[in-house]
Amino acid sequence: MAVRTLREDIPSIFSKDLNYNIYREDITFIDPLNTFQGIDNYCLIFWALRFHGRILFKEICIEVFRVWQPSENSILIRWELQGVPRVPWEARGRFQGTSWYKVDRNGKIYEHKVDNLAFNFPRTMMRPATMLDLVGVGRPTTPNLTFRWDLLEDSFSCPWIELYRAVRGTLEQEGHIPMGVGLEGLVTCS
């Protein structure tokens, strides 16, 4: 049931809420910088993604490349987030990643780990995207993406980083994550 529900939920993540019946109350969400626990925090993360995604982007969607179950207790999804930010110049961006879900004996998801994030956006906001940026020439097509970890400058910003900051800010306001954890270590492709 969890695999089928994820196949239906993930592509429409920015237009409707998830079916939370497949998750345990004590679910843990892990991304490269944070860990959140509990179904309330999990619901808040996806609400914040939808809310801030609509504010920061003219168009935003997620494409699922593959959903599979490599073992009885895990599910893997390879996806790509694409969007057109609300900026006064023509821009388009995308990033890929994987979501690993751990499933208990009852078929309920108790852990969701987002991994292998690979951003593909211009390093400066005014540089127009090239065709190579849009098609991702030279990027791996396997679920095991390997990209360089860069430290972001404080002055660097883009709609994807703003989306992450906005979602993170929502959780900080709710008191759900420790203060002082920065954006160091976000993945970028050059």
Side-chain angles (χ1 to χ4, degrees):
M1 176 164 157
V3 171
R4 184 174 10 137
T5 302
L6 289 168
R7 280 184 206 273
E8 294 169 5
D9 280 358
I10 301 304
S12 58
I13 209 166
F14 287 99
S15 60
K16 68 176 190 169
D17 207 1
L18 302 176
N19 176 351
Y20 295 106
N21 294 330
I22 62 171
Y23 303 97
R24 287 190 347 196
E25 289 291 321
D26 64 344
I27 185 166
T28 300
F29 177 83
I30 303 166
D31 72 18
L33 301 176
N34 305 289
T35 299
F36 306 102
Q37 293 190 323
I39 194 70
D40 291 338
N41 287 337
Y42 197 70
C43 294
L44 184 60
I45 289 166
F46 289 97
W47 174 86
L49 273 173
R50 280 189 306 283
F51 178 78
H52 295 295
R54 290 177 184 156
I55 290 173
L56 296 169
F57 292 86
K58 294 179 214 174
E59 297 173 22
I60 190 165
C61 67
I62 191 163
E63 179 182 353
V64 174
F65 294 129
R66 185 173 177 204
V67 179
W68 71 104
Q69 198 163 2
S71 68
E72 188 175 312
N73 62 352
S74 65
I75 301 168
L76 181 60
I77 300 179
R78 175 127 184 268
W79 48 263
E80 179 176 80
L81 185 60
Q82 304 169 14
V84 178
R86 294 184 190 277
V87 292
W89 54 88
E90 189 173 329
R92 190 172 254 318
R94 64 185 178 95
F95 70 91
Q96 295 182 3
T98 55
S99 286
W100 290 84
Y101 298 89
K102 290 186 180 177
V103 182
D104 68 13
R105 289 184 205 169
N106 299 318
K108 296 272 190 172
I109 296 171
Y110 65 91
E111 183 179 287
H112 175 186
K113 182 179 182 183
V114 175
D115 203 2
N116 296 320
L117 294 179
F119 287 83
N120 183 14
F121 52 76
R123 291 296 284 175
T124 62
M125 290 301 292
M126 296 304 287
R127 184 183 76 105
T130 68
M131 186 57 74
L132 293 179
D133 290 332
L134 297 175
V135 298
V137 170
R139 306 291 191 254
T141 58
T142 68
N144 300 321
L145 303 174
T146 305
F147 291 93
R148 213 177 79 212
W149 288 84
D150 291 336
L151 296 178
L152 294 175
E153 302 168 17
D154 289 336
S155 61
F156 178 72
S157 182
C158 78
W160 298 116
I161 301 300
E162 292 306 316
L163 178 63
Y164 183 84
R165 286 180 178 150
V167 171
R168 184 174 174 74
T170 299
L171 293 167
E172 284 175 346
Q173 286 177 355
E174 296 292 322
H176 296 286
I177 59 175
M179 299 297 286
V181 177
L183 291 172
E184 306 82 24
L186 275 177
V187 170
T188 61
C189 298
S190 49

